[in-house]
Amino acid sequence: MSLDDKAQKPHDRLAEALAEDMEAVNRLIRERMASENAPRIPEVTAHLIEAGGKRLRPMLTLAAANLCGYTGRYHVHLAATVEFIHTATLLHDDVVDESQQRRGRPTANLLWDNKSSVLCGDYLFARSFQLMTETGNMRVLEILSNASATISEGEVLQLTAARDLATTEEIYLKVVRGKTAALFSAATEVGAVIAGASDEQVRALYTYGDALGVAFQIVDDYLDYAGAADVIGKNTGDDFRERKLTLPVIKAVALADAEERAFWSRTIEKGQQEVGDLEHAMKLMAHHGALAATRADALAWAERARDALAILPQQPLREMLEELALYVVARIR
Amino acid sequence: MSLDDKAQKPHDRLAEALAEDMEAVNRLIRERMASENAPRIPEVTAHLIEAGGKRLRPMLTLAAANLCGYTGRYHVHLAATVEFIHTATLLHDDVVDESQQRRGRPTANLLWDNKSSVLCGDYLFARSFQLMTETGNMRVLEILSNASATISEGEVLQLTAARDLATTEEIYLKVVRGKTAALFSAATEVGAVIAGASDEQVRALYTYGDALGVAFQIVDDYLDYAGAADVIGKNTGDDFRERKLTLPVIKAVALADAEERAFWSRTIEKGQQEVGDLEHAMKLMAHHGALAATRADALAWAERARDALAILPQQPLREMLEELALYVVARIR
């Protein structure tokens, strides 16, 4: 291994280690996103799928399966399944959020219309269920159908929890599990299950995916307040302007006195924001240590992810997954 | 059996014969549409599910399973699965069509918003996959995941085929299979499969569901031109005004001369409709026998549905299904 390899991001090292499998996943994805009956479908799905994305979730499935000594071919099906579920939720999310851009390109709902995004998302969901059914593994089907339910539950919960100051850290965590962690943990868990791993290994890889997903999302929410614009590619304070109850705000609200509560109620609940409000919100967060506590939470989740892997075989893939957990929080170290 | 029973609609007779099972299906539906994490979900889904609907699809599953001698309990799961898939597609359809009313009540997208309809539909899809997975029957999973893919394919195809005079009867049939027949045929087929029926019986019940669904949809499209407003609860000519390529129009276009083609192109493709156009369209259809041919097609599909049952045990349930096939076209006899 050269120094150059060492300098690679863990994500790129994973991609390199799993290159052959990922090639098979990409082939399967292209094959299954087609539709001879409705040519509009591959147009819409290709627009999003070919735009790249990091293919992080399918790589997690492949890595988990390989790490548990799997020698079959169904991890490829499961990796494609996970990517299809992910893409379907993105198509629907962009309709729900009325988004204009995704992965640096105009969204499908903008290029075609909401209808196409809703229906092509449904198609990818159905295709994902076909793919997972082909594995013939009931436990895998349970895990992935449960994850799908958790994802949509989390999204609906986010809809209703938005702008509600009563949102607790517990509710936040449920939303985060739905938005992000449920598919991460399902991705790693099914990799272990299809490999016939022990219950202990399955649990370890579930915990890894779950904690990785939670850390990932908390970092995102932290950086929206703490990050410089050029690091995260969006402006600081977007979540504040969109009145989202993310972890830094939840922590600050929990410690707010009456006057501060009135401020949060005006800006987040009622949405009456004035010049200087974002700066005042940052000051309140600093005062209560809300950003520091959020950062500490993210680091703890990343640590939990890394530690979960301790019982797994000490192999390069395990190392890469460990590094990935630390890399997720590297931006906030 | 009293004379009164004889006078009942076949749908009501089925409901009566399957009352106990349907009670179990309704219990399971109520149980599984709940979400402790996201209370918005049962509100939205209950609005639609409790509004009634005919529960025709789950009854088809129950009837098929009972007719094939099934004595287990998983037909209840499958019937609930089928109703969840149906409800999910209705929620998404109403977003896609920007509908205002469904089953005599304002639609969910109107009462809440498009977001809730999209995400609650996704939730019901996921729940349906959980339910079918619980049966542990791989063949059932294949059938239902294939049906889900066909449904969304059909919907996307309808989106792109709309207003396109090149739409053939073959494309129309694919759309109809997606919109209606795919779930009908899956409903009856999985009932037979879960009962461990012979391949011949499974095929027969598949064919029944498929032909019933196609007949059902053709009748709808026929009545939109031929029916009196009070029979179908919508105005004659809605499809014309919405420029839909339904079977009567496709048949008339296929036989059109140059001048007639220009008329269809102006009214359907370009949407430039004037007073008297609907009447002229009806005249062209009459001239080419398009309505009569559409009606004949519907009757033939209903016949095909009824005939498919010939190899099944001669029981009251079979009779009711046969009557149902004829009842679907009774409105146009």
Side-chain angles (χ1 to χ4, degrees), chain B residues 107-118:
Chain B
T107 53
N109 45 310
L110 208 71
L111 279 186
W112 288 272
D113 44 34
N114 279 349
K115 306 173 192 210
S116 299
S117 292
V118 170

Side-chain angles (χ1 to χ4, degrees), chain A residues 305-333:
Chain A
R306 198 199 51 185
D307 291 351
L309 299 178
I311 60 129
L312 288 156
Q314 193 135 18
Q315 287 177 13
L317 271 178
R318 178 181 135 187
E319 244 173 67
M320 291 178 214
L321 289 179
E322 286 169 346
E323 281 167 20
L324 183 65
L326 300 181
Y327 179 72
V328 159
V329 290
R331 295 183 293 173
I332 65 169
R333 271 184 181 279

Side-chain angles (χ1 to χ4, degrees), chain A residues 35 37 40 92 96 115-116 119 122-123 126 129-130 136 138 141 146 148-149 152-153 156-157 159-160 174, chain B residues 35 37 40 92 96 115-116 119 122-123 126 129-130 136 138 141 146 148-149 152-153 156-157 159-160 174:
Chain A
S35 158
N37 291 325
R40 165 73 56 88
H92 286 185
V96 167
K115 306 173 190 207
S116 298
L119 297 175
D122 289 349
Y123 182 70
F129 283 107
Q130 286 179 314
M138 274 295 164
L141 289 169
N146 290 346
S148 300
S152 37
E153 257 185 323
V156 176
L157 187 59
L159 220 57
T160 52
K174 278 186 188 166
Chain B
S35 158
N37 289 326
R40 165 72 58 88
H92 286 184
V96 167
K115 306 173 192 210
S116 299
L119 296 174
D122 289 349
Y123 182 72
F129 283 108
Q130 285 179 314
M138 275 296 162
L141 290 169
N146 290 347
S148 300
S152 35
E153 258 185 324
V156 177
L157 186 60
L159 220 56
T160 51
K174 278 186 188 167

Side-chain angles (χ1 to χ4, degrees), chain B:
Chain B
M1 197 174 285
S2 72
L3 269 175
D4 272 309
D5 283 336
K6 277 275 177 216
Q8 276 182 314
K9 292 175 186 172
H11 178 274
D12 296 329
R13 288 184 61 206
L14 265 176
E16 207 174 289
L18 302 165
E20 208 178 309
D21 278 356
M22 271 310 292
E23 197 40 59
V25 171
N26 286 329
R27 262 200 310 275
L28 190 59
I29 284 176
R30 272 193 297 273
E31 191 188 308
R32 297 304 176 88
M33 76 181 180
S35 158
E36 45 175 304
N37 289 326
R40 165 72 58 88
I41 291 176
E43 287 172 30
V44 173
T45 52
H47 170 72
L48 188 54
I49 287 180
E50 302 289 350
K54 296 181 296 296
R55 296 272 206 275
L56 180 58
R57 291 157 193 82
M59 281 206 284
L60 289 175
T61 301
L62 297 175
N66 282 318
L67 191 50
C68 295
Y70 186 57
T71 55
R73 297 307 294 159
Y74 282 133
H75 62 328
V76 170
H77 281 70
L78 293 174
T81 297
V82 162
E83 186 69 5
F84 272 4
I85 296 177
H86 177 55
T87 309
T89 60
L90 292 186
L91 280 168
H92 286 184
D93 277 359
D94 286 342
V95 171
V96 167
D97 298 340
E98 294 160 28
S99 311
Q100 318 265 314
Q101 270 216 331
R102 164 82 68 186
R103 292 175 182 167
R105 305 170 71 172
T107 53
N109 45 310
L110 208 71
L111 279 186
W112 288 272
D113 44 34
N114 279 349
K115 306 173 192 210
S116 299
S117 292
V118 170
L119 296 174
C120 290
D122 289 349
Y123 182 72
L124 288 180
F125 270 130
R127 287 304 234 177
S128 78
F129 283 108
Q130 285 179 314
L131 273 167
M132 65 176 98
T133 298
E134 287 172 36
T135 67
N137 187 308
M138 275 296 162
R139 208 163 141 210
V140 149
L141 290 169
E142 269 168 44
I143 293 165
L144 286 166
S145 59
N146 290 347
S148 300
T150 304
I151 291 169
S152 35
E153 258 185 324
E155 304 254 18
V156 177
L157 186 60
Q158 183 176 34
L159 220 56
T160 51
R163 302 173 183 178
D164 182 355
L165 287 194
T167 302
T168 59
E169 292 201 21
E170 195 194 351
I171 295 177
Y172 171 81
L173 205 58
K174 278 186 188 167
V175 171
V176 166
R177 286 224 155 86
K179 274 173 72 169
T180 315
L183 196 53
F184 274 60
S185 59
T188 45
E189 190 180 7
V190 295
V193 166
I194 201 73
S198 70
D199 284 355
E200 196 193 12
Q201 290 183 327
V202 170
R203 240 188 339 266
L205 279 159
Y206 166 86
T207 304
Y208 173 80
D210 179 59
L212 185 72
V214 174
F216 190 88
Q217 190 59 51
I218 295 181
V219 168
D220 224 52
D221 292 345
Y222 170 82
L223 284 177
D224 194 83
Y225 285 98
D230 57 329
V231 175
I232 50 169
K234 57 178 182 174
N235 299 319
T236 311
D238 274 358
D239 287 348
F240 183 75
R241 277 181 290 272
E242 289 167 25
R243 304 153 56 195
K244 288 187 187 165
L245 262 290
T246 59
L247 195 53
V249 177
I250 292 170
K251 284 179 185 293
V253 169
L255 298 171
D257 63 22
E259 195 185 321
E260 293 170 12
R261 241 195 116 69
F263 167 82
W264 292 115
S265 171
R266 169 174 66 77
T267 53
I268 300 284
E269 283 193 326
K270 304 202 182 77
Q272 297 158 358
Q273 299 191 0
E274 298 158 12
V275 175
D277 277 347
L278 174 60
E279 291 67 24
H280 187 64
M282 305 278 291
K283 205 177 295 173
L284 293 183
M285 287 179 192
H287 174 64
H288 290 298
L291 279 176
T294 300
R295 182 177 164 279
D297 281 1
L299 295 175
W301 281 103
E303 203 90 356
R304 198 171 307 174
R306 198 198 51 183
D307 291 350
L309 299 177
I311 61 130
L312 287 156
Q314 193 134 20
Q315 286 176 15
L317 271 178
R318 178 181 135 186
E319 244 173 67
M320 290 177 214
L321 290 179
E322 286 169 347
E323 282 168 18
L324 183 65
L326 300 181
Y327 179 70
V328 159
V329 291
R331 294 182 294 173
I332 65 167
R333 268 180 185 282

Side-chain angles (χ1 to χ4, degrees), chain A residues 33 52-53 57 63 70:
Chain A
M33 77 182 180
R57 293 157 191 81
Y70 186 58

